Amino acid sequence: MRDVLVIGGNRYFGKRLIDRLTAAGDRVTVLNRGSAPPPAGVIHLVADRDDEAALNSALGDRTFDVVVDQVCYTPRQAAIARRVFGGGRSRRYVMTSTVEVYEYEDSLVYEDTVVPVREDAVDPLTVPVRLELPWHKPEFRETHYGEGKRQAEAVFAADDVTGDSRDAGDYGDPVADGTKFPYTAVRVAHVLGGDDDFTGRLDHYAQRIRTGTPIAVPTENRPATYIHVEEIADFLFWVVGEEFTGPVNAASHGLLTTEELCAVVAWHIPDGRTVFQNVDVGKVSPFSFARSYGMDNSRATELGFTFGHVQEWLPRAVAETLGSDRGAGPGPGG
């Protein structure tokens, strides 16, 4: 039996991960702020993960084989986590990261290519960490989501993040100690599926197709990689049982364009009309990208995980989220 701590994770693929862990017989502890009850059969700890003293108090003398951090968004949160869970409290730390770490100012990673990007395109050891930025402000975190995740990865990857919480406000400055932190950063592709998809992104398309409202997309609209909500839960469960460290991409095989996605959505709305509007500036629809968001999943594949193909599960994912009476329908182009 493994002792696994999940930080956050009370909704979407986080709750599916918890279900898999408990079904496997693991002892699961869920830590959150208490705003939502955890699934049955788990130990529940309540603390604000931004409050280092409260986090230490809630954890007490507990130790874990693996920590799965579903809600680490900033380098400040990562620095606290490293101090709290370093020194033997956890044998391994799994951070849920994002494909958006590959998009940053002056980045050329996706600018002129649709070749899926590998993990070494963003090396956390080379990412500068700026704890002084206003990471405590929700609007700043939201507009710097990819940057926050990228710097959080950098904190976990570095040799020098222990520190004292009295330094740099309540968050601590990095202080060299020469130790390695056993972390894995799961860079998750765009997630689709489930009747509990809270993002509203597929509904965005459904509403516009239903009314014939133009769907704003970039003039150069690039494809992206995706993963089904059940598949990312499977992947995280698999990662818990592995020993590898460092960044790993989590994405189904195959690229998907906005047009292909809308074709499946439109199948569920037979009286609808799909109208695209190309825009060079301004806000575009979700899942439409001026840069390619394709990730190479070969590292995870070589380590032993078997991904599905996006075109195999996409019709089911759309049907789950839209709740259509028409069923799963055809695949893209079907």
Side-chain angles (χ1 to χ4, degrees):
M1 176 186 293
R2 301 173 297 195
D3 277 299
V4 182
L5 172 67
V6 180
I7 303 177
N10 272 2
R11 62 180 181 176
Y12 210 33
F13 60 84
K15 70 180 183 181
R16 289 168 170 80
L17 168 63
I18 293 169
D19 288 343
R20 284 159 171 74
L21 291 169
T22 55
D26 294 317
R27 181 185 293 111
V28 180
T29 302
V30 173
L31 186 144
N32 58 32
R33 291 176 297 180
S35 57
V42 306
I43 301 166
H44 188 202
L45 303 178
V46 177
D48 183 346
R49 58 104 29 85
D50 291 324
D51 185 331
E52 186 168 349
L55 188 56
N56 272 313
S57 177
L59 291 169
D61 61 358
R62 294 177 176 86
T63 60
F64 304 95
D65 295 304
V66 184
V67 175
V68 183
D69 192 342
Q70 292 282 78
V71 289
C72 185
Y73 300 117
T74 75
R76 289 179 174 181
Q77 292 175 332
I80 288 173
R82 252 196 90 150
R83 290 193 296 271
V84 169
F85 291 100
R89 197 192 289 272
S90 178
R91 186 176 56 82
R92 191 154 170 268
Y93 203 95
V94 178
M95 170 198 169
T96 301
S97 189
T98 174
V99 61
E100 292 184 39
V101 300
Y102 295 114
E103 182 176 12
Y104 52 96
E105 187 177 0
D106 299 326
S107 169
L108 297 178
V109 171
Y110 285 122
E111 199 65 55
D112 299 310
T113 180
V114 294
V115 176
V117 66
R118 296 178 61 90
E119 289 86 353
D120 58 8
V122 173
D123 181 356
L125 290 173
T126 67
V127 174
V129 174
R130 299 188 60 192
L131 296 175
E132 77 280 4
L133 293 175
W135 297 111
H136 61 287
K137 296 183 178 179
E139 64 275 12
F140 184 84
R141 288 200 306 270
E142 183 177 350
T143 57
H144 294 77
Y145 178 71
E147 180 62 26
K149 288 286 192 179
R150 188 162 48 252
Q151 290 193 30
E153 285 192 27
V155 169
F156 289 130
D159 292 340
D160 57 356
V161 187
T162 51
D164 186 320
S165 63
R166 294 170 296 181
D167 299 329
D170 293 329
Y171 295 97
D173 264 334
V175 176
D177 73 342
T179 63
K180 280 286 188 183
F181 189 72
Y183 88 102
T184 298
V186 178
R187 295 173 177 171
V188 182
H190 306 289
V191 183
L192 292 173
D195 61 2
D196 56 340
D197 181 353
F198 61 92
T199 66
R201 291 176 292 192
L202 284 183
D203 286 331
H204 169 95
Y205 288 112
Q207 291 169 11
R208 280 156 178 75
I209 292 171
R210 190 174 292 115
T211 59
T213 304
I215 297 168
V217 296
T219 300
E220 292 292 334
N221 193 17
R222 306 284 189 170
T225 42
Y226 293 81
I227 192 165
H228 190 270
V229 63
E230 300 291 347
E231 188 170 41
I232 186 57
D234 287 341
F235 186 81
L236 288 168
F237 176 74
W238 172 77
V239 170
V240 166
E242 298 297 308
E243 298 294 333
F244 68 87
T245 57
V248 61
N249 291 338
S252 296
H253 298 298
L255 293 167
L256 182 65
T257 66
T258 310
E259 290 79 6
E260 289 173 315
L261 177 59
C262 286
V264 179
V265 173
W267 189 84
H268 295 272
I269 309 169
D271 297 325
R273 188 162 58 98
T274 305
V275 180
F276 294 105
Q277 179 182 8
N278 294 329
V279 296
D280 292 319
V281 294
K283 190 173 183 179
V284 296
S285 296
F287 301 140
S288 59
F289 307 104
R291 296 182 177 191
S292 173
Y293 270 86
M295 291 197 297
D296 183 313
N297 63 14
S298 59
R299 184 184 187 215
T301 300
E302 291 164 1
L303 286 166
F305 189 82
T306 302
F307 290 101
H309 196 285
V310 63
Q311 294 196 13
E312 295 173 351
W313 56 253
L314 178 62
R316 172 167 57 97
V318 172
E320 291 167 350
T321 302
L322 297 184
S324 173
D325 293 334
R326 298 194 71 190

